[in-house]
Amino acid sequence: MQSRRLPLYVLLGGVAGVLIGLFSPLLAALVAPVGDIYIRLMEVVVLPYLISSLILGLGQLAPETARKLFRKSWAIYLALWAMTFTVLLFAALTVPLVRQAAVIDFSSALSAPDASASSLIDLLVPDNLFQALSNNYIPSIVLMGLIFGIAVQQSKKPTELLEMLSVVRQACIRIWEWIVLLAPIGVCALFANSFSSMDPEGYAAMSIYIVVVVSSALLISLWILPMMLTAFLPMKYWELMSELKEAFLIAVVTSLSVASLPMIQRATQNMAQKYCKAEKESEQREIIQTTLSISYPLAQIGNFFILVFLLYASFYFFIPLTGWHLMELPIVTLLSGIGSPTSSIGAVTFMASWLKMPAETTNLYVETMAITRYVQVLASVAAFAFVTILVTFTFYGQLRFNIRRFVATIVVAGICLSAISSLARLGGTHIQLHSETNYLEMGLPEEVQALSDENLVSRLGKVSQESEKDTTGAPTGSETHNVLGRIQSNGVLRVGINPNVMPFTYENNRGRLVGYDVELMYRFAQSMSVEIVFVPYNWQSLIKNLSNYEFDIAIGGIYITNERLETITVSDPYYENPLALIVRTDQINDFASREKINSIENLTIAVFDDPVLIPTAKRSFPTAKIKVLPNYDNLADEAEVDAAIWTLEQARAWAISHEGYSTAVPRNIATRFLFAYLMPPDAPGLSDYLNYWMRLQKDNGVLADMTKRWIDPAATDSTR
């Protein structure tokens, strides 16, 4: 594969992945492991490269040269980082920060505030280096690499060690060159897996992030850093860019910033020979080479854009960041971003874990990196050149300050950053983010919806009459055990449904029955080659309806109870959830524990007319006034209600779909619910068939895909 065509192949791989994900979920599942392998290969050599580069870059210097270089370069690195994080600050302003999580699990120890000033010390200074290595603590590894490099520098030069580290570093670079050739295949697999299981609205949201990163990176690499150089050097912008064009081109084509180092060294030597007079040409070459070697890990500013990504990811996954996290984020980003472009993947993994984001965060970064990688590499190459050229000219005292260029750089950069911020905010007002998933807008997958385009809630009354006709002459007494036989004989599966149980069975804004249980029943009916008929029920008469064989299976996020186990047939449980409360977001801390809830004066708890939830509410909150509602459709209009009781996932789905509400899981409430499907008495054949069929769906990944789509599409911070 020719490296100059690699960006085109990566683009084609991404397009192919999108098409596979949209039109062939089975093929997407088959290629998913390829994406995982690609990510692991990209990460596996990060730490060896990072350690060898830092120790080698510092260790090979003479102490006197190192001290002089430090005096000449420390301010340049600070200026580079300051300019970069100023741009990142403007980029970060395009992200609406999440102030409150969709779910606060007060019952989990993990939900306790654990971000403090001391947590940053734990990240920086490890008490066990091997533990830091095994846990991928990038900041600790960087700091220890710097310390070891300085220690080696102060010792008698261990030539064998430095040569070995040089070999390790070159081997890491060579491995990355091989892996980069696999990028089209890896990107194809990653895109296929994601587009087959995630809401396209999420990608629309992350497209804003991509636009912001691409625009900001191009601004800093093609304008801010080159123009800042010309403000301090006796040369013009186009002269500088002419010297660096080969370095930029090779980096973008290969997506490896390390490939640009020889070109930057040659360009710096050309400019130094023209403007800097050195007594010893060999010394000048050593200064340039050493500065460039050190700048590679320390000036890898393209990696710093992970700060913007993590802020967008917090909004994407609806995870709020604490004040301590926001203050520590630039420092941790700076230390985590040191290394190579690929080390940003490990940095995202580490920082996502630190910020308690889901494991999918790294995959999301790699997917967006298929586009942003090229401009991130471009920014890093500009930074290498900025540091190397400026340090060299400073070392030989050849700086010439031009205030007109300096002011022009700042003014144009400010205008461009304002335009980027305005453009991103304009786009954000028109795209519903994945973190704001509205269950009322969701529908069944197309292949499932195609099984019946008539599952409208308005038809339930008609369906009920049809089902009554179907049950005429239904067997009673001892003959009722062959429910499965009747389904197979009549070719109709009658499903009892309550269309008010989000996200399991409910009516969306288009008047259709949707949800986890609805989709599952469609798939179950298809597996038996029978039609499906929905029959409405209310909670108080559910047991009676089943005992009278009015339908074959009851769905709707139904809980297992002793009474139900004793009187009717119950499937194996398919989900488990704790008790939760729907509350107004600004009052969520008042519902942190049973004690705090029971101390609220004139407390009113809403509960819909469910034979399980009503006694649970009375038992859990004995001092509260219990208000029974037919359902929670108009809960927001109940001004006197302080909270509504439900299970976690049902409450979360409702809260996400209604502005101003969140879900609380209080401490000291041990109530948990098992979800199952209910069938008439003496229906073991149907029960056994359903249980076996569900185990098959679990094994082939269908249930996991449905869970991700319906029960946990926003990947909230709830602990299960």
Side-chain angles (χ1 to χ4, degrees):
M1 182 184 297
Q2 298 182 11
S3 60
R4 291 183 180 275
R5 295 182 180 178
L6 186 61
L8 174 61
Y9 293 141
V10 171
L11 177 61
L12 293 176
V15 172
V18 172
L19 295 176
I20 291 172
L22 292 177
F23 301 108
S24 180
L26 178 60
L27 182 57
L30 291 175
V31 302
V34 178
D36 292 336
I37 293 172
Y38 175 67
I39 294 174
R40 294 184 182 214
L41 289 175
M42 294 284 281
E43 290 181 303
V44 72
V45 292
V46 167
L47 296 185
Y49 178 84
L50 204 53
I51 295 171
S52 60
S53 293
L54 291 172
I55 297 177
L56 179 63
L58 294 171
Q60 67 185 356
L61 293 176
E64 298 78 10
T65 306
R67 283 192 289 270
K68 186 174 181 180
L69 273 179
F70 176 75
R71 289 194 301 270
K72 298 294 184 180
S73 62
W74 68 268
I76 294 173
Y77 279 105
L78 290 180
L80 172 67
W81 295 338
M83 287 187 291
T84 303
F85 279 97
T86 299
V87 173
L88 295 178
L89 174 62
F90 275 86
L93 292 176
T94 64
V95 188
L97 291 179
V98 178
R99 299 297 181 185
Q100 183 65 66
V103 175
I104 296 294
D105 190 350
F106 295 103
S107 66
S108 171
L110 293 177
S111 64
D114 59 355
S116 62
S118 63
S119 65
L120 186 58
I121 298 175
D122 296 334
L123 297 177
L124 295 179
V125 186
D127 55 1
N128 186 324
L129 180 58
F130 294 101
Q131 183 179 8
L133 288 169
S134 65
N135 291 329
N136 202 28
Y137 286 175
I138 300 293
S140 300
I141 295 166
V142 168
L143 183 61
M144 297 311 297
L146 293 172
I147 293 173
F148 274 97
I150 295 172
V152 171
Q153 180 188 108
Q154 299 296 322
S155 307
K156 182 180 178 180
K157 286 293 177 286
T159 306
E160 295 82 2
L161 173 63
L162 295 179
E163 289 178 353
M164 183 182 70
L165 291 174
S166 178
V167 170
V168 171
R169 186 174 70 168
Q170 290 300 320
C172 293
I173 294 171
R174 192 169 296 110
I175 292 172
W176 275 326
E177 290 173 347
W178 296 340
I179 297 171
V180 163
L181 297 178
L182 301 175
I185 301 173
V187 169
C188 176
L190 289 167
F191 272 47
N193 183 49
S194 296
F195 270 84
S196 67
S197 59
M198 299 181 73
D199 191 339
E201 291 175 348
Y203 287 99
M206 293 308 294
S207 68
I208 303 175
Y209 156 76
I210 292 173
V211 169
V212 168
V213 168
V214 170
S215 304
S216 302
L218 289 175
L219 175 64
I220 199 170
S221 57
L222 299 181
W223 176 257
I224 295 178
L225 293 184
M227 278 299 294
M228 275 296 177
L229 271 176
T230 63
F232 290 91
L233 302 180
M235 65 179 66
K236 295 183 179 180
Y237 176 84
W238 291 114
E239 181 184 358
L240 175 65
M241 295 302 288
S242 178
E243 290 284 355
L244 295 175
K245 64 181 180 182
E246 289 186 7
F248 285 137
L249 179 61
I250 192 66
V252 171
V253 168
T254 63
S255 74
L256 287 172
S257 60
V258 70
S260 69
L261 297 185
M263 288 76 172
I264 295 175
Q265 181 174 340
R266 184 168 61 247
T268 307
Q269 288 174 349
N270 293 339
M271 287 181 277
Q273 290 174 1
K274 184 176 181 179
Y275 295 102
C276 302
K277 295 181 180 180
E279 297 180 0
K280 298 180 181 179
E281 186 176 336
S282 60
E283 180 193 56
Q284 188 180 80
R285 187 165 51 251
E286 182 183 356
I287 293 298
I288 294 173
Q289 186 175 0
T290 300
T291 302
L292 185 58
S293 178
I294 296 175
S295 72
Y296 182 76
L298 298 182
Q300 198 76 236
I301 65 170
N303 289 359
F304 298 163
F305 283 87
I306 61 178
L307 181 147
V308 182
F309 168 79
L310 289 167
L311 291 176
Y312 267 94
S314 73
F315 192 36
Y316 181 89
F317 292 117
F318 210 83
I319 296 176
L321 301 180
T322 66
W324 278 115
H325 281 150
L326 293 175
M327 287 189 292
E328 294 174 353
L329 194 56
I331 301 174
V332 179
T333 300
L334 174 63
L335 294 170
S336 300
I338 292 175
S340 69
T342 311
S343 65
S344 65
I345 299 174
V348 167
T349 302
F350 159 73
M351 296 179 71
S353 175
W354 171 56
L355 297 172
K356 294 193 171 40
M357 291 184 180
E360 292 86 352
T361 305
T362 302
N363 286 350
L364 183 63
Y365 177 72
V366 173
E367 291 154 13
T368 57
M369 192 181 179
I371 300 174
T372 63
R373 177 185 181 88
Y374 297 96
V375 292
Q376 287 176 271
V377 166
L378 196 67
S380 294
V381 171
F384 303 157
F386 177 86
V387 170
T388 305
I389 296 171
L390 205 54
V391 167
T392 302
F393 275 68
T394 303
F395 195 91
Y396 291 102
Q398 295 299 316
L399 297 185
R400 300 289 185 271
F401 181 62
N402 188 319
I403 190 170
R404 293 180 61 185
R405 293 177 183 171
F406 182 81
V407 172
T409 303
I410 295 177
V411 171
V412 174
I415 294 173
C416 293
L417 288 172
S418 299
I420 292 171
S421 178
S422 300
L423 178 64
R425 287 181 177 274
L426 178 64
T429 59
H430 296 288
I431 299 175
Q432 182 187 45
L433 293 183
H434 192 65
S435 59
E436 295 177 320
T437 298
N438 190 324
Y439 281 83
L440 297 176
E441 297 292 337
M442 293 180 65
L444 298 173
E446 290 185 6
E447 68 273 15
V448 177
Q449 185 66 63
L451 298 176
S452 174
D453 285 329
E454 298 182 353
N455 63 326
L456 301 177
V457 173
S458 59
R459 295 187 67 253
L460 283 181
K462 180 180 178 181
V463 166
S464 179
Q465 295 174 4
E466 293 174 353
S467 67
E468 288 177 5
K469 295 178 182 178
D470 184 67
T471 57
T472 303
T476 59
S478 61
E479 300 180 16
T480 59
H481 64 279
N482 195 12
V483 177
L484 180 59
R486 189 208 58 77
I487 296 171
Q488 295 171 333
S489 175
N490 293 353
V492 176
L493 174 68
R494 301 168 304 171
V495 178
I497 189 169
N498 187 308
N500 301 291
V501 188
M502 200 180 291
F504 296 94
T505 59
Y506 66 98
E507 175 188 1
N508 66 14
N509 284 340
R510 295 180 294 280
R512 296 187 181 275
L513 292 173
V514 295
Y516 181 96
D517 290 352
V518 173
E519 179 178 341
L520 189 90
M521 285 298 108
Y522 269 119
R523 295 182 182 274
F524 183 55
Q526 184 187 35
S527 73
M528 292 193 294
S529 300
V530 298
E531 296 182 2
I532 191 169
V533 170
F534 291 110
V535 182
Y537 68 79
N538 63 65
W539 294 105
Q540 295 297 340
S541 63
L542 175 58
I543 300 296
K544 180 182 178 181
N545 297 148
L546 285 166
S547 298
N548 291 336
Y549 296 85
E550 296 177 16
F551 36 81
D552 307 311
I553 300 179
I555 65 173
I558 302 174
Y559 319 129
I560 296 177
T561 65
N562 288 335
E563 179 188 3
R564 290 170 178 174
L565 288 170
E566 293 171 355
T567 57
I568 55 178
T569 305
V570 180
S571 74
D572 292 340
Y574 65 93
Y575 204 68
E576 181 266 349
N577 238 201
L579 180 72
L581 294 171
I582 301 171
V583 300
R584 293 177 179 85
T585 299
D586 57 358
Q587 299 175 2
I588 194 167
N589 289 324
D590 295 336
F591 295 85
S593 66
R594 184 199 296 265
E595 291 75 17
K596 292 187 70 172
I597 296 172
N598 287 329
S599 67
I600 299 176
E601 294 185 4
N602 301 319
L603 174 66
T604 300
I605 300 284
V607 58
F608 63 82
D609 195 8
D610 180 277
V612 178
L613 288 181
I614 293 176
T616 299
K618 293 178 179 178
R619 181 175 64 251
S620 301
F621 310 109
T623 63
K625 175 185 176 183
I626 305 300
K627 183 171 183 177
V628 179
L629 302 176
N631 53 62
Y632 290 155
D633 290 352
N634 299 312
L635 177 62
D637 299 329
E638 301 288 340
E640 73 280 11
V641 171
D642 300 294
I645 191 173
W646 221 347
T647 60
L648 172 59
E649 290 305 335
Q650 293 164 318
R652 182 184 67 84
W654 192 97
I656 285 178
S657 302
H658 294 80
E659 185 177 356
Y661 285 87
S662 294
T663 302
V665 181
R667 289 190 298 271
N668 305 328
I669 295 181
T671 303
R672 303 186 75 87
F673 299 91
L674 289 174
F675 292 70
Y677 301 115
L678 307 187
M679 287 155 278
D682 302 321
L686 178 60
S687 176
D688 292 343
Y689 185 91
L690 176 62
N691 291 334
Y692 177 76
W693 178 83
M694 289 184 64
R695 286 194 292 269
L696 289 178
Q697 305 314 299
K698 180 179 180 180
D699 292 341
N700 63 25
V702 171
L703 295 188
D705 179 67
M706 288 175 52
T707 299
K708 195 170 186 179
R709 178 163 52 253
W710 293 106
I711 298 180
D712 193 18
T716 67
D717 60 337
S718 58
T719 302
R720 289 185 296 278

